[in-house]
Amino acid sequence: MTPEILIPGQTTLAQLEHLWRSEAPARLHPSARPGIEAAAAMIAAAANGTEPVYGVNTGFGKLASIKIASQDTATLQRNLILSHCCGVGEPMPRATARLMMALKLLSLGRGASGVRWDIIALLEGMLEKGVTPVIPAQGSVGASGDLAPLAHMAAAMMGHGDAEHEGKVKAAAQALADAGLSPVELGAKEGLALINGTQFSTAYALAGLFDGWRAALSALVTSALTTDAIMGSTAPLQPEIHSLRGQPGQIDAAASLRALLEGSVIRESHREGDSRVQDPYCIRCQPQVTGAAMDVMRQAARTLEIEANAATDNPLVLTEVGMIVSGGNFHAEPVGFAADMIAMALSEIGAIAQRRVALMVDPVLSFDLPAFLTPKPGLNSGFMIAEVTTAALMSENKHMAHPTVIDSTPTSANQEDHVSMAAHGARRLGRMVANLNVILGVEALCAAQGIEFRAPLPTSAPLLRTIARLRAEVPALGDDRYMAHDLASAAQLIGGGDLVAAAQVAMPRLLA
């Protein structure tokens, strides 16, 4: 597979999403090398000097006042990494771990970390040869860097711990050997450069963003299906309404919904003589809600694109002014805020989608659809409990959407006395997206069933293509049957973006 060439400071979200989804290798652009080597030379000089420089010839954290002899530099870095390998829990998904490694390449590539090119070459080699450290997902509080998870990555580079290679988990030293790579002995500051940083939190946040945006686009398709299923009005999609407010996501969502519903005979059939004056908010306010969620995700995306390209370890080597300076770029507060924003957006997309499901299964509100969308209500329960499942998942997502960045606890003997909690704030996004995909999958199943009850009136061409794609996996529901597989298949179609692709309608972009 052709490597993705990364230019530090200029790498885009589209490149990172490609890396994550394809697990392609990554390499730094050659233009990054002079800056990296200049910073490494400054660190080498500092390591041999008499002035204390944090993390180069001193201890760490609360132990920063202890001076370390130059002959102990390698031992200092080795001890740092092994002592920080305190992660617990399930391992990171391989694709997300590889994205984290690519993000670390980008950070080191800014030429402010002081690592030798050997470190860059090993990370690139591991990505190329498919050596992925096994990294426990719990243990970071998202300040002073994602210390524990990044330490597990660094340990694998040293030949300690475990790594996945060729589909098997092996001792890291063996995995490196099998891939034709050699473990590295860390030099001055290199261990600190590898574990200080926000790459673990940022990788998880990006993964949640990429799949969350895909879910948001799928929600536009499923909500259009629902609008026709309950014979809803398209008047609230009138473009002038949305231009008068001016919110970009709302404008984009309304435009997509108009395109999805264009040409629906079902819609045309009730323009006159419809006793209903207004639809419920879950139909009428779709652009305002889903569009607002899209705008929030776009704001988070801008933050994460900047963070992906940032130098976030400590201290930083400022070659232009000849200084090595301690700062706080390792603090993951921006990532924590971004993850919370994405979580709230996912929760709201699911909340309004769940109300649309409830609308369709209720014969009082669904405009003459049979109860629970079954041809024989009473004998059959139809989508009764599928709707209950969406309510359960909606509630679960609401709980998970509670902000994590507002929490903090002092660590490291009060030296690190405010932390971001970005790591688990970002990790929860995967669970939230999985829940949302099920909610939207159930909505698609219900809406397709509802539209089919409107026969012989057809829906629009884009929505007919969407229903055909759904029906290729899940047949219409007649008599009651085992439903779990249907829900799983529909959720998979949502998660894969299949229904969006089937509609063949231009959709909003995450970032221009």
Side-chain angles (χ1 to χ4, degrees), residues 191-260:
L192 194 60
L194 287 170
I195 69 172
N196 256 193
T198 64
Q199 289 75 37
F200 173 87
S201 297
T202 304
Y204 267 108
L206 286 171
L209 173 70
F210 297 147
D211 272 352
W213 185 258
R214 181 174 280 183
L217 299 184
S218 295
L220 295 175
V221 174
T222 60
S223 61
L225 287 165
T226 298
T227 300
D228 242 14
I230 61 102
M231 296 185 118
S233 174
T234 55
L237 302 178
Q238 189 71 20
E240 291 80 3
I241 293 175
H242 308 287
S243 296
L244 282 168
R245 193 174 205 182
Q247 298 289 355
Q250 178 179 328
I251 292 169
D252 289 346
S256 293
L257 288 167
R258 288 194 302 273
L260 287 162

Side-chain angles (χ1 to χ4, degrees), residues 406-493:
I406 60 173
D407 188 19
S408 181
T409 190
T411 63
S412 193
N414 282 298
Q415 177 75 5
E416 297 154 10
D417 59 350
H418 182 277
V419 299
S420 72
M421 298 300 180
H424 63 269
R427 278 196 301 111
R428 72 181 150 168
L429 299 178
R431 287 175 56 199
M432 293 186 71
V433 171
N435 288 344
L436 177 56
N437 287 346
V438 175
I439 295 170
L440 297 175
V442 171
E443 181 181 16
L445 292 172
C446 289
Q449 189 96 348
I451 286 172
E452 288 161 348
F453 278 125
R454 303 297 183 188
L457 299 177
T459 186
S460 67
L463 296 183
L464 283 171
R465 290 191 290 269
T466 298
I467 293 172
R469 180 68 186 91
L470 178 66
R471 289 292 176 242
E473 306 295 332
V474 184
L477 183 64
D479 291 334
D480 285 348
R481 62 173 184 253
Y482 187 83
M483 293 285 286
H485 292 161
D486 293 351
L487 270 59
S489 294
Q492 188 171 3
L493 290 173

